[in-house]
Amino acid sequence: MTISTTITAFDSRRFFDKAFVYGVQHGIISAERQTTIQADLAKGMVQIANYFGTAYLRPDLELAIIRITNLISIYLEDHAQGDVQIGAQSLQNNSLLSHSKQGADMLRRLHAMPKETLLLQHGPASSDEQQSFLNEMSGESQISWPDYKAELARGQATQNLLDLGFWLAKKLQLASEEICDAEQLINTAMLLILAPKAAIKLPKRSEFDALIKALKPKKVSENPERFALFFSDAPTKIEQIAQKEMARFIAQEWPKIRNNSFNLAHYYLKGGIDAISEYDEAIAKNWQRISHNDDNSVIATLFLLVATGQPVKSAMLKREATAMVQALREHGLNDAAVIEFIEHNVPVELREELTDFWLNDLKEDADTALANKDPEFPDLYMERAFKYLQNNCNTTWKGRS
């Protein structure tokens, strides 16, 4: 049995086999080199069997030939970028064991890549951990070259986030005892840079809404000068990573901020989850109090009073309703005031829903009923307006208006 058929018997799909057969068929790998490769394969098989188990057991030897073939293949395919001619030339010019070692080093490099974005200092992996990873990646369920490249790219992307995250942690004076996720810190930094005139410091939960509000107007745009100033003392690599992250933030996060669909958990806030929970709990409790546990008629009352610049209450007296209707007829309804009220008084998880309720439901309905715009059906004495308010809002007077 020739070396070609020996390798093919174990795994004909490996790049090692393809490159070797191509090299023999096209005269790239000499007869002398074929003999050396066969000897190196036998030697490497024993070494690998001893590393993972023992060379005295046939199952270990059989698995070892699979392992060395896989290790050689993944390095050879990466080195040759899938070109069997380049792979064959490498087999002619370099020892088989060097290919195997390079393949193992590639897998160790992959194992060393970070798997998460928490800003924690990790020591090097232990030899046992490396061996276990090599055991998994080089065995019968080996990792393919495309999968290796994809995993390496993911690992490098994670490392880039960590590098930027550690730099930002120092820049923004994050306390050393704080456990922080790099992605959250990056989002917060991008928010600080984009928000006009925002102080460059880690925001508390109570300060976060002001930053969000600052980014909502359509006239607010990217500020390259502010970005350049913030990263003026950063290494070139960090600045390049930050530029990519800013582009991502503008494309993905900014639209969510403008339509109130952003996720607070994607940002780092000073004080961490406890501060976030305490603040949001206070907001939620106050909202339940002023909205009478999300009563629709009370919410409509609050929004109409806010929209017309009246004192905010959960219920309207008749004289307060009169003042509200007069203000609406003179000045209209103020969307911006209602949106601001929602941002400061409504729990995050309800903001999008109640913003939609105001803009696409209550506003138009109330304006039609209260404004007295139709000369064919005048409402000079507000009879129709009062009836609408009694049916849709929390009013205190009884009977006919």
Side-chain angles (χ1 to χ4, degrees), residues 11 13-14 66 70-71 136-144 147:
D11 192 348
R13 297 170 298 169
R14 295 294 79 199
I66 293 174
N70 290 337
L71 291 173
E136 178 185 355
M137 292 294 109
S138 67
E140 293 185 47
S141 58
Q142 76 285 341
I143 186 171
S144 68
D147 287 345

Side-chain angles (χ1 to χ4, degrees), residues 172-308:
L172 296 171
Q173 299 180 343
L174 180 71
S176 58
E177 67 274 9
E178 287 283 345
I179 296 177
C180 177
D181 182 271
E183 291 180 294
Q184 292 175 328
L185 188 59
I186 291 167
N187 279 341
T188 296
M190 299 304 144
L191 182 64
L192 291 171
I193 293 168
L194 287 171
K197 300 180 181 179
I200 302 297
K201 65 183 185 68
L202 290 173
K204 298 177 182 177
R205 177 62 184 89
S206 58
E207 299 166 329
F208 182 75
D209 288 343
L211 293 172
I212 292 296
K213 181 182 177 182
L215 260 65
K216 286 195 170 183
K218 294 294 184 182
K219 64 180 180 180
V220 178
S221 60
E222 185 179 1
N223 190 333
E225 293 78 15
R226 190 169 163 89
F227 178 93
L229 180 62
F230 183 88
F231 287 101
S232 60
D233 57 342
T236 301
K237 179 185 175 184
I238 294 298
E239 184 178 4
Q240 290 172 345
I241 297 170
Q243 287 172 343
K244 291 181 180 179
E245 286 303 299
M246 177 59 84
R248 174 198 58 80
F249 187 93
I250 290 172
Q252 298 177 16
E253 290 298 321
W254 206 345
K256 295 177 184 176
I257 288 172
R258 282 179 164 154
N259 64 24
N260 285 320
S261 64
F262 68 92
N263 189 336
L264 184 62
H266 293 170
Y267 296 83
Y268 176 81
L269 302 178
K270 192 173 183 180
I273 192 65
D274 291 338
I276 294 172
S277 299
E278 289 172 6
Y279 180 85
D280 288 343
E281 183 179 357
I283 290 287
K285 285 183 177 179
N286 186 60
W287 175 248
Q288 292 302 306
R289 179 183 63 80
I290 65 175
S291 70
H292 294 192
N293 295 316
D294 297 310
D295 184 296
N296 286 337
S297 66
V298 175
I299 293 173
T301 302
L302 292 169
F303 285 3
L304 287 173
L305 289 172
V306 169
T308 54

